[in-house]
Amino acid sequence: MARKSLVAANWKLNGSHSLCEQFARDLGVFDATDVWLFPTALHLSLMVDLFKQRQNVVGAQNVAIQQSGAYTGEVAANMVAELGGKAALVGHSERRSLFGESDEIVASKFKIIQTAGLIPVLCVGESLEKRDKGMAYEAVQQQLQAVEASWDQPDLRHHVIAYEPVWAIGTGRAASSEQVQEMHMFIRDHVNQNSNNLESEIRILYGGSVNVENAAELIQQQDVDGFLVGGASLNTDSFNGICEIVNS
Ligand code: PGA
């Protein structure tokens, strides 16, 4: 089965009521590409509402490791689902490095996201240090292995993996198309070894300084099914531009 391409916007700690409305007004409609939106938790409900007549999935950038209780400031996966969110990012390198999320925490969150009926978008990627030491594949493999025990096989085909080398995020220095294709192939092979041939259905996105200039070359790679876009997703012109490139 051919994989449908997917472009996802990760707004991080950016956005406003008016940006949400601008996206609802100006985001294009793309027949051959899914377009998913990850605003802040505070804007999730508004975005679900604004996009309720459209096909776009709206999701959370993060969920709590707990289901409920005395955890001031947290947002639970089942609350995201109740509000109409359909997916959640997990394992983003900013969560790992700035908020101390270990592989174990990522695995627990992954499970909680699945249990809430949300689609997990698992982010993996090596640091520059690991890449320079020739340990990029090992690092990514370790991150994949950490969540494997939580993989729900029948649902695996709906899962999304985003390969985001840490050194390419927000730096303006995207990985080369060869580096990306090699790692995506490695990830797909790895999924294959741990699933019943679902690797051909799982979507693998690239993330890290994707923009309208580099999107065309990257999307031509066989195992690149789309993008997770940070900076360039905050502007409807550049985000529409990337979606158009992927859609064609
Ligand atoms: P960037 O971020 O496109 O700004 O590099 C990507 C991401 O962190 O998901």
PDB file of all heavy atoms in Angstrom, residues 147-182:
ATOM      1  N   VAL A 147      10.948   2.194  23.032  1.00  0.00           N
ATOM      2  CA  VAL A 147       9.473   2.218  22.977  1.00  0.00           C
ATOM      3  C   VAL A 147       8.885   0.923  22.423  1.00  0.00           C
ATOM      4  O   VAL A 147       7.667   0.747  22.436  1.00  0.00           O
ATOM      5  CB  VAL A 147       8.924   3.395  22.131  1.00  0.00           C
ATOM      6  CG1 VAL A 147       9.348   4.727  22.697  1.00  0.00           C
ATOM      7  CG2 VAL A 147       9.321   3.272  20.679  1.00  0.00           C
ATOM      8  N   GLU A 148       9.738   0.034  21.963  1.00  0.00           N
ATOM      9  CA  GLU A 148       9.210  -1.143  21.268  1.00  0.00           C
ATOM     10  C   GLU A 148       8.295  -2.013  22.107  1.00  0.00           C
ATOM     11  O   GLU A 148       7.318  -2.565  21.593  1.00  0.00           O
ATOM     12  CB  GLU A 148      10.352  -1.985  20.708  1.00  0.00           C
ATOM     13  CG  GLU A 148      10.563  -1.681  19.262  1.00  0.00           C
ATOM     14  CD  GLU A 148      11.972  -1.959  18.822  1.00  0.00           C
ATOM     15  OE1 GLU A 148      12.600  -2.905  19.352  1.00  0.00           O
ATOM     16  OE2 GLU A 148      12.440  -1.194  17.965  1.00  0.00           O
ATOM     17  N   ALA A 149       8.612  -2.091  23.380  1.00  0.00           N
ATOM     18  CA  ALA A 149       7.778  -2.916  24.242  1.00  0.00           C
ATOM     19  C   ALA A 149       6.357  -2.358  24.291  1.00  0.00           C
ATOM     20  O   ALA A 149       5.401  -3.077  24.583  1.00  0.00           O
ATOM     21  CB  ALA A 149       8.377  -2.961  25.641  1.00  0.00           C
ATOM     22  N   SER A 150       6.230  -1.074  24.009  1.00  0.00           N
ATOM     23  CA  SER A 150       4.911  -0.433  24.064  1.00  0.00           C
ATOM     24  C   SER A 150       4.197  -0.439  22.715  1.00  0.00           C
ATOM     25  O   SER A 150       3.064   0.004  22.620  1.00  0.00           O
ATOM     26  CB  SER A 150       5.046   1.022  24.500  1.00  0.00           C
ATOM     27  OG  SER A 150       5.834   1.126  25.643  1.00  0.00           O
ATOM     28  N   TRP A 151       4.867  -0.916  21.672  1.00  0.00           N
ATOM     29  CA  TRP A 151       4.233  -0.883  20.356  1.00  0.00           C
ATOM     30  C   TRP A 151       3.023  -1.770  20.340  1.00  0.00           C
ATOM     31  O   TRP A 151       3.097  -2.961  20.634  1.00  0.00           O
ATOM     32  CB  TRP A 151       5.205  -1.377  19.277  1.00  0.00           C
ATOM     33  CG  TRP A 151       6.020  -0.288  18.696  1.00  0.00           C
ATOM     34  CD1 TRP A 151       5.876   1.035  18.914  1.00  0.00           C
ATOM     35  CD2 TRP A 151       7.119  -0.441  17.794  1.00  0.00           C
ATOM     36  NE1 TRP A 151       6.812   1.737  18.203  1.00  0.00           N
ATOM     37  CE2 TRP A 151       7.580   0.859  17.507  1.00  0.00           C
ATOM     38  CE3 TRP A 151       7.739  -1.528  17.195  1.00  0.00           C
ATOM     39  CZ2 TRP A 151       8.655   1.075  16.647  1.00  0.00           C
ATOM     40  CZ3 TRP A 151       8.797  -1.310  16.360  1.00  0.00           C
ATOM     41  CH2 TRP A 151       9.256  -0.020  16.074  1.00  0.00           C
ATOM     42  N   ASP A 152       1.937  -1.184  19.967  1.00  0.00           N
ATOM     43  CA  ASP A 152       0.708  -1.929  19.869  1.00  0.00           C
ATOM     44  C   ASP A 152       0.599  -2.379  18.411  1.00  0.00           C
ATOM     45  O   ASP A 152       0.301  -1.598  17.528  1.00  0.00           O
ATOM     46  CB  ASP A 152      -0.444  -0.969  20.245  1.00  0.00           C
ATOM     47  CG  ASP A 152      -1.710  -1.739  20.509  1.00  0.00           C
ATOM     48  OD1 ASP A 152      -1.739  -2.923  20.150  1.00  0.00           O
ATOM     49  OD2 ASP A 152      -2.646  -1.143  21.055  1.00  0.00           O
ATOM     50  N   GLN A 153       0.881  -3.650  18.163  1.00  0.00           N
ATOM     51  CA  GLN A 153       1.039  -4.112  16.774  1.00  0.00           C
ATOM     52  C   GLN A 153      -0.102  -3.735  15.828  1.00  0.00           C
ATOM     53  O   GLN A 153       0.160  -3.186  14.774  1.00  0.00           O
ATOM     54  CB  GLN A 153       1.275  -5.623  16.760  1.00  0.00           C
ATOM     55  CG  GLN A 153       2.624  -6.019  17.305  1.00  0.00           C
ATOM     56  CD  GLN A 153       3.769  -5.708  16.357  1.00  0.00           C
ATOM     57  OE1 GLN A 153       3.567  -5.540  15.160  1.00  0.00           O
ATOM     58  NE2 GLN A 153       4.969  -5.603  16.876  1.00  0.00           N
ATOM     59  N   PRO A 154      -1.355  -3.995  16.186  1.00  0.00           N
ATOM     60  CA  PRO A 154      -2.399  -3.661  15.208  1.00  0.00           C
ATOM     61  C   PRO A 154      -2.431  -2.180  14.869  1.00  0.00           C
ATOM     62  O   PRO A 154      -2.843  -1.803  13.776  1.00  0.00           O
ATOM     63  CB  PRO A 154      -3.696  -4.069  15.916  1.00  0.00           C
ATOM     64  CG  PRO A 154      -3.283  -4.983  17.013  1.00  0.00           C
ATOM     65  CD  PRO A 154      -1.906  -4.567  17.407  1.00  0.00           C
ATOM     66  N   ASP A 155      -1.990  -1.358  15.806  1.00  0.00           N
ATOM     67  CA  ASP A 155      -2.034   0.088  15.574  1.00  0.00           C
ATOM     68  C   ASP A 155      -0.771   0.635  14.936  1.00  0.00           C
ATOM     69  O   ASP A 155      -0.727   1.781  14.526  1.00  0.00           O
ATOM     70  CB  ASP A 155      -2.218   0.836  16.907  1.00  0.00           C
ATOM     71  CG  ASP A 155      -3.659   0.743  17.376  1.00  0.00           C
ATOM     72  OD1 ASP A 155      -4.512   0.439  16.543  1.00  0.00           O
ATOM     73  OD2 ASP A 155      -3.887   0.975  18.562  1.00  0.00           O
ATOM     74  N   LEU A 156       0.239  -0.200  14.850  1.00  0.00           N
ATOM     75  CA  LEU A 156       1.557   0.284  14.436  1.00  0.00           C
ATOM     76  C   LEU A 156       1.517   0.959  13.067  1.00  0.00           C
ATOM     77  O   LEU A 156       2.213   1.938  12.822  1.00  0.00           O
ATOM     78  CB  LEU A 156       2.544  -0.886  14.425  1.00  0.00           C
ATOM     79  CG  LEU A 156       4.003  -0.560  14.202  1.00  0.00           C
ATOM     80  CD1 LEU A 156       4.492   0.441  15.229  1.00  0.00           C
ATOM     81  CD2 LEU A 156       4.839  -1.826  14.272  1.00  0.00           C
ATOM     82  N   ARG A 157       0.662   0.454  12.203  1.00  0.00           N
ATOM     83  CA  ARG A 157       0.615   1.021  10.848  1.00  0.00           C
ATOM     84  C   ARG A 157       0.211   2.500  10.852  1.00  0.00           C
ATOM     85  O   ARG A 157       0.488   3.222   9.917  1.00  0.00           O
ATOM     86  CB  ARG A 157      -0.321   0.207   9.954  1.00  0.00           C
ATOM     87  CG  ARG A 157      -1.794   0.392  10.267  1.00  0.00           C
ATOM     88  CD  ARG A 157      -2.645  -0.594   9.509  1.00  0.00           C
ATOM     89  NE  ARG A 157      -2.342  -1.953   9.944  1.00  0.00           N
ATOM     90  CZ  ARG A 157      -2.304  -3.003   9.143  1.00  0.00           C
ATOM     91  NH1 ARG A 157      -2.529  -2.838   7.875  1.00  0.00           N
ATOM     92  NH2 ARG A 157      -2.056  -4.206   9.605  1.00  0.00           N
ATOM     93  N   HIS A 158      -0.489   2.917  11.918  1.00  0.00           N
ATOM     94  CA  HIS A 158      -0.924   4.314  11.986  1.00  0.00           C
ATOM     95  C   HIS A 158       0.123   5.217  12.647  1.00  0.00           C
ATOM     96  O   HIS A 158      -0.009   6.422  12.623  1.00  0.00           O
ATOM     97  CB  HIS A 158      -2.227   4.439  12.783  1.00  0.00           C
ATOM     98  CG  HIS A 158      -3.312   3.583  12.237  1.00  0.00           C
ATOM     99  ND1 HIS A 158      -3.770   3.716  10.956  1.00  0.00           N
ATOM    100  CD2 HIS A 158      -4.015   2.572  12.788  1.00  0.00           C
ATOM    101  CE1 HIS A 158      -4.728   2.817  10.739  1.00  0.00           C
ATOM    102  NE2 HIS A 158      -4.885   2.113  11.835  1.00  0.00           N
ATOM    103  N   HIS A 159       1.090   4.589  13.285  1.00  0.00           N
ATOM    104  CA  HIS A 159       2.084   5.388  13.990  1.00  0.00           C
ATOM    105  C   HIS A 159       2.947   6.167  13.007  1.00  0.00           C
ATOM    106  O   HIS A 159       3.082   5.804  11.844  1.00  0.00           O
ATOM    107  CB  HIS A 159       2.996   4.495  14.834  1.00  0.00           C
ATOM    108  CG  HIS A 159       2.285   3.864  15.977  1.00  0.00           C
ATOM    109  ND1 HIS A 159       2.884   2.952  16.795  1.00  0.00           N
ATOM    110  CD2 HIS A 159       1.022   4.002  16.441  1.00  0.00           C
ATOM    111  CE1 HIS A 159       2.023   2.566  17.712  1.00  0.00           C
ATOM    112  NE2 HIS A 159       0.886   3.185  17.513  1.00  0.00           N
ATOM    113  N   VAL A 160       3.540   7.222  13.535  1.00  0.00           N
ATOM    114  CA  VAL A 160       4.426   8.034  12.709  1.00  0.00           C
ATOM    115  C   VAL A 160       5.753   8.165  13.464  1.00  0.00           C
ATOM    116  O   VAL A 160       5.759   8.325  14.691  1.00  0.00           O
ATOM    117  CB  VAL A 160       3.809   9.436  12.479  1.00  0.00           C
ATOM    118  CG1 VAL A 160       4.755  10.328  11.691  1.00  0.00           C
ATOM    119  CG2 VAL A 160       2.455   9.322  11.758  1.00  0.00           C
ATOM    120  N   ILE A 161       6.841   8.057  12.736  1.00  0.00           N
ATOM    121  CA  ILE A 161       8.158   8.289  13.333  1.00  0.00           C
ATOM    122  C   ILE A 161       8.743   9.526  12.655  1.00  0.00           C
ATOM    123  O   ILE A 161       8.622   9.682  11.438  1.00  0.00           O
ATOM    124  CB  ILE A 161       9.086   7.068  13.132  1.00  0.00           C
ATOM    125  CG1 ILE A 161       8.515   5.852  13.873  1.00  0.00           C
ATOM    126  CG2 ILE A 161      10.507   7.375  13.618  1.00  0.00           C
ATOM    127  CD1 ILE A 161       9.288   4.559  13.653  1.00  0.00           C
ATOM    128  N   ALA A 162       9.311  10.409  13.445  1.00  0.00           N
ATOM    129  CA  ALA A 162       9.978  11.578  12.871  1.00  0.00           C
ATOM    130  C   ALA A 162      11.459  11.482  13.195  1.00  0.00           C
ATOM    131  O   ALA A 162      11.842  11.413  14.370  1.00  0.00           O
ATOM    132  CB  ALA A 162       9.391  12.868  13.434  1.00  0.00           C
ATOM    133  N   TYR A 163      12.279  11.449  12.147  1.00  0.00           N
ATOM    134  CA  TYR A 163      13.732  11.477  12.350  1.00  0.00           C
ATOM    135  C   TYR A 163      14.172  12.934  12.368  1.00  0.00           C
ATOM    136  O   TYR A 163      14.039  13.652  11.364  1.00  0.00           O
ATOM    137  CB  TYR A 163      14.452  10.714  11.236  1.00  0.00           C
ATOM    138  CG  TYR A 163      15.950  10.972  11.257  1.00  0.00           C
ATOM    139  CD1 TYR A 163      16.700  10.753  12.427  1.00  0.00           C
ATOM    140  CD2 TYR A 163      16.621  11.459  10.138  1.00  0.00           C
ATOM    141  CE1 TYR A 163      18.062  11.022  12.471  1.00  0.00           C
ATOM    142  CE2 TYR A 163      17.984  11.723  10.167  1.00  0.00           C
ATOM    143  CZ  TYR A 163      18.696  11.502  11.335  1.00  0.00           C
ATOM    144  OH  TYR A 163      20.035  11.779  11.384  1.00  0.00           O
ATOM    145  N   GLU A 164      14.658  13.363  13.515  1.00  0.00           N
ATOM    146  CA  GLU A 164      15.089  14.756  13.667  1.00  0.00           C
ATOM    147  C   GLU A 164      16.474  14.806  14.306  1.00  0.00           C
ATOM    148  O   GLU A 164      16.600  14.781  15.535  1.00  0.00           O
ATOM    149  CB  GLU A 164      14.098  15.510  14.566  1.00  0.00           C
ATOM    150  CG  GLU A 164      12.688  15.543  14.027  1.00  0.00           C
ATOM    151  CD  GLU A 164      11.907  16.722  14.594  1.00  0.00           C
ATOM    152  OE1 GLU A 164      11.839  16.869  15.817  1.00  0.00           O
ATOM    153  OE2 GLU A 164      11.398  17.506  13.792  1.00  0.00           O
ATOM    154  N   PRO A 165      17.518  14.863  13.471  1.00  0.00           N
ATOM    155  CA  PRO A 165      18.857  14.974  14.056  1.00  0.00           C
ATOM    156  C   PRO A 165      18.943  16.280  14.867  1.00  0.00           C
ATOM    157  O   PRO A 165      18.551  17.339  14.378  1.00  0.00           O
ATOM    158  CB  PRO A 165      19.781  15.016  12.834  1.00  0.00           C
ATOM    159  CG  PRO A 165      18.923  15.247  11.642  1.00  0.00           C
ATOM    160  CD  PRO A 165      17.520  14.901  11.999  1.00  0.00           C
ATOM    161  N   VAL A 166      19.408  16.167  16.094  1.00  0.00           N
ATOM    162  CA  VAL A 166      19.387  17.315  17.013  1.00  0.00           C
ATOM    163  C   VAL A 166      20.124  18.513  16.421  1.00  0.00           C
ATOM    164  O   VAL A 166      19.690  19.661  16.541  1.00  0.00           O
ATOM    165  CB  VAL A 166      20.013  16.908  18.374  1.00  0.00           C
ATOM    166  CG1 VAL A 166      20.061  18.088  19.321  1.00  0.00           C
ATOM    167  CG2 VAL A 166      19.238  15.754  18.991  1.00  0.00           C
ATOM    168  N   TRP A 167      21.221  18.234  15.720  1.00  0.00           N
ATOM    169  CA  TRP A 167      22.068  19.299  15.169  1.00  0.00           C
ATOM    170  C   TRP A 167      21.401  20.024  14.001  1.00  0.00           C
ATOM    171  O   TRP A 167      21.916  21.051  13.543  1.00  0.00           O
ATOM    172  CB  TRP A 167      23.415  18.713  14.734  1.00  0.00           C
ATOM    173  CG  TRP A 167      23.303  17.440  13.944  1.00  0.00           C
ATOM    174  CD1 TRP A 167      23.234  16.168  14.464  1.00  0.00           C
ATOM    175  CD2 TRP A 167      23.215  17.296  12.523  1.00  0.00           C
ATOM    176  NE1 TRP A 167      23.110  15.253  13.454  1.00  0.00           N
ATOM    177  CE2 TRP A 167      23.099  15.919  12.256  1.00  0.00           C
ATOM    178  CE3 TRP A 167      23.222  18.187  11.456  1.00  0.00           C
ATOM    179  CZ2 TRP A 167      22.991  15.409  10.958  1.00  0.00           C
ATOM    180  CZ3 TRP A 167      23.114  17.685  10.165  1.00  0.00           C
ATOM    181  CH2 TRP A 167      23.002  16.311   9.926  1.00  0.00           C
ATOM    182  N   ALA A 168      20.295  19.502  13.507  1.00  0.00           N
ATOM    183  CA  ALA A 168      19.621  20.145  12.366  1.00  0.00           C
ATOM    184  C   ALA A 168      18.392  20.937  12.804  1.00  0.00           C
ATOM    185  O   ALA A 168      17.815  21.675  12.008  1.00  0.00           O
ATOM    186  CB  ALA A 168      19.212  19.087  11.346  1.00  0.00           C
ATOM    187  N   ILE A 169      18.003  20.798  14.067  1.00  0.00           N
ATOM    188  CA  ILE A 169      16.771  21.453  14.525  1.00  0.00           C
ATOM    189  C   ILE A 169      17.028  22.915  14.848  1.00  0.00           C
ATOM    190  O   ILE A 169      17.871  23.233  15.703  1.00  0.00           O
ATOM    191  CB  ILE A 169      16.195  20.734  15.770  1.00  0.00           C
ATOM    192  CG1 ILE A 169      15.780  19.312  15.391  1.00  0.00           C
ATOM    193  CG2 ILE A 169      15.004  21.503  16.329  1.00  0.00           C
ATOM    194  CD1 ILE A 169      15.276  18.497  16.557  1.00  0.00           C
ATOM    195  N   GLY A 170      16.317  23.785  14.146  1.00  0.00           N
ATOM    196  CA  GLY A 170      16.387  25.214  14.430  1.00  0.00           C
ATOM    197  C   GLY A 170      17.732  25.851  14.136  1.00  0.00           C
ATOM    198  O   GLY A 170      17.991  26.978  14.555  1.00  0.00           O
ATOM    199  N   THR A 171      18.583  25.136  13.406  1.00  0.00           N
ATOM    200  CA  THR A 171      19.928  25.655  13.157  1.00  0.00           C
ATOM    201  C   THR A 171      20.080  26.207  11.749  1.00  0.00           C
ATOM    202  O   THR A 171      21.108  26.819  11.426  1.00  0.00           O
ATOM    203  CB  THR A 171      20.983  24.530  13.305  1.00  0.00           C
ATOM    204  OG1 THR A 171      20.646  23.481  12.379  1.00  0.00           O
ATOM    205  CG2 THR A 171      21.011  23.980  14.707  1.00  0.00           C
ATOM    206  N   GLY A 172      19.115  25.948  10.890  1.00  0.00           N
ATOM    207  CA  GLY A 172      19.238  26.359   9.496  1.00  0.00           C
ATOM    208  C   GLY A 172      20.129  25.404   8.710  1.00  0.00           C
ATOM    209  O   GLY A 172      20.365  25.585   7.529  1.00  0.00           O
ATOM    210  N   ARG A 173      20.595  24.362   9.378  1.00  0.00           N
ATOM    211  CA  ARG A 173      21.483  23.401   8.712  1.00  0.00           C
ATOM    212  C   ARG A 173      20.779  22.042   8.648  1.00  0.00           C
ATOM    213  O   ARG A 173      20.893  21.217   9.553  1.00  0.00           O
ATOM    214  CB  ARG A 173      22.780  23.291   9.539  1.00  0.00           C
ATOM    215  CG  ARG A 173      23.747  22.281   9.023  1.00  0.00           C
ATOM    216  CD  ARG A 173      24.903  22.091  10.009  1.00  0.00           C
ATOM    217  NE  ARG A 173      25.593  20.849   9.718  1.00  0.00           N
ATOM    218  CZ  ARG A 173      26.426  20.254  10.551  1.00  0.00           C
ATOM    219  NH1 ARG A 173      26.678  20.777  11.730  1.00  0.00           N
ATOM    220  NH2 ARG A 173      27.006  19.125  10.220  1.00  0.00           N
ATOM    221  N   ALA A 174      20.030  21.824   7.592  1.00  0.00           N
ATOM    222  CA  ALA A 174      19.316  20.556   7.449  1.00  0.00           C
ATOM    223  C   ALA A 174      20.314  19.447   7.131  1.00  0.00           C
ATOM    224  O   ALA A 174      21.393  19.700   6.599  1.00  0.00           O
ATOM    225  CB  ALA A 174      18.291  20.667   6.325  1.00  0.00           C
ATOM    226  N   ALA A 175      19.941  18.213   7.451  1.00  0.00           N
ATOM    227  CA  ALA A 175      20.770  17.074   7.055  1.00  0.00           C
ATOM    228  C   ALA A 175      20.713  16.961   5.537  1.00  0.00           C
ATOM    229  O   ALA A 175      19.760  17.426   4.909  1.00  0.00           O
ATOM    230  CB  ALA A 175      20.227  15.806   7.707  1.00  0.00           C
ATOM    231  N   SER A 176      21.725  16.337   4.955  1.00  0.00           N
ATOM    232  CA  SER A 176      21.718  16.179   3.496  1.00  0.00           C
ATOM    233  C   SER A 176      20.693  15.107   3.121  1.00  0.00           C
ATOM    234  O   SER A 176      20.334  14.254   3.943  1.00  0.00           O
ATOM    235  CB  SER A 176      23.101  15.764   2.999  1.00  0.00           C
ATOM    236  OG  SER A 176      23.351  14.422   3.378  1.00  0.00           O
ATOM    237  N   SER A 177      20.256  15.129   1.874  1.00  0.00           N
ATOM    238  CA  SER A 177      19.254  14.141   1.469  1.00  0.00           C
ATOM    239  C   SER A 177      19.808  12.717   1.593  1.00  0.00           C
ATOM    240  O   SER A 177      19.070  11.791   1.905  1.00  0.00           O
ATOM    241  CB  SER A 177      18.737  14.436   0.065  1.00  0.00           C
ATOM    242  OG  SER A 177      19.810  14.641  -0.798  1.00  0.00           O
ATOM    243  N   GLU A 178      21.112  12.550   1.391  1.00  0.00           N
ATOM    244  CA  GLU A 178      21.698  11.200   1.539  1.00  0.00           C
ATOM    245  C   GLU A 178      21.646  10.760   3.000  1.00  0.00           C
ATOM    246  O   GLU A 178      21.290   9.620   3.311  1.00  0.00           O
ATOM    247  CB  GLU A 178      23.170  11.162   1.080  1.00  0.00           C
ATOM    248  CG  GLU A 178      23.405  11.357  -0.399  1.00  0.00           C
ATOM    249  CD  GLU A 178      23.276  12.825  -0.822  1.00  0.00           C
ATOM    250  OE1 GLU A 178      23.488  13.721   0.029  1.00  0.00           O
ATOM    251  OE2 GLU A 178      22.945  13.066  -2.000  1.00  0.00           O
ATOM    252  N   GLN A 179      22.043  11.675   3.901  1.00  0.00           N
ATOM    253  CA  GLN A 179      22.010  11.325   5.333  1.00  0.00           C
ATOM    254  C   GLN A 179      20.593  10.964   5.760  1.00  0.00           C
ATOM    255  O   GLN A 179      20.377  10.018   6.516  1.00  0.00           O
ATOM    256  CB  GLN A 179      22.499  12.517   6.173  1.00  0.00           C
ATOM    257  CG  GLN A 179      23.990  12.770   6.084  1.00  0.00           C
ATOM    258  CD  GLN A 179      24.380  14.098   6.751  1.00  0.00           C
ATOM    259  OE1 GLN A 179      23.649  15.083   6.675  1.00  0.00           O
ATOM    260  NE2 GLN A 179      25.536  14.116   7.400  1.00  0.00           N
ATOM    261  N   VAL A 180      19.638  11.725   5.252  1.00  0.00           N
ATOM    262  CA  VAL A 180      18.248  11.492   5.640  1.00  0.00           C
ATOM    263  C   VAL A 180      17.763  10.155   5.091  1.00  0.00           C
ATOM    264  O   VAL A 180      17.207   9.329   5.826  1.00  0.00           O
ATOM    265  CB  VAL A 180      17.350  12.658   5.160  1.00  0.00           C
ATOM    266  CG1 VAL A 180      15.875  12.355   5.394  1.00  0.00           C
ATOM    267  CG2 VAL A 180      17.736  13.946   5.888  1.00  0.00           C
ATOM    268  N   GLN A 181      17.992   9.912   3.809  1.00  0.00           N
ATOM    269  CA  GLN A 181      17.522   8.654   3.220  1.00  0.00           C
ATOM    270  C   GLN A 181      18.149   7.449   3.932  1.00  0.00           C
ATOM    271  O   GLN A 181      17.467   6.481   4.244  1.00  0.00           O
ATOM    272  CB  GLN A 181      17.819   8.632   1.706  1.00  0.00           C
ATOM    273  CG  GLN A 181      17.619   7.277   1.028  1.00  0.00           C
ATOM    274  CD  GLN A 181      16.227   6.668   1.236  1.00  0.00           C
ATOM    275  OE1 GLN A 181      15.249   7.374   1.481  1.00  0.00           O
ATOM    276  NE2 GLN A 181      16.142   5.340   1.173  1.00  0.00           N
ATOM    277  N   GLU A 182      19.446   7.528   4.199  1.00  0.00           N
ATOM    278  CA  GLU A 182      20.111   6.393   4.858  1.00  0.00           C
ATOM    279  C   GLU A 182      19.489   6.100   6.216  1.00  0.00           C
ATOM    280  O   GLU A 182      19.246   4.955   6.576  1.00  0.00           O
ATOM    281  CB  GLU A 182      21.604   6.685   5.033  1.00  0.00           C
ATOM    282  CG  GLU A 182      22.400   6.389   3.792  1.00  0.00           C
ATOM    283  CD  GLU A 182      23.834   6.922   3.886  1.00  0.00           C
ATOM    284  OE1 GLU A 182      24.304   7.217   5.007  1.00  0.00           O
ATOM    285  OE2 GLU A 182      24.466   7.038   2.827  1.00  0.00           O
TER     286      GLU A 182
END
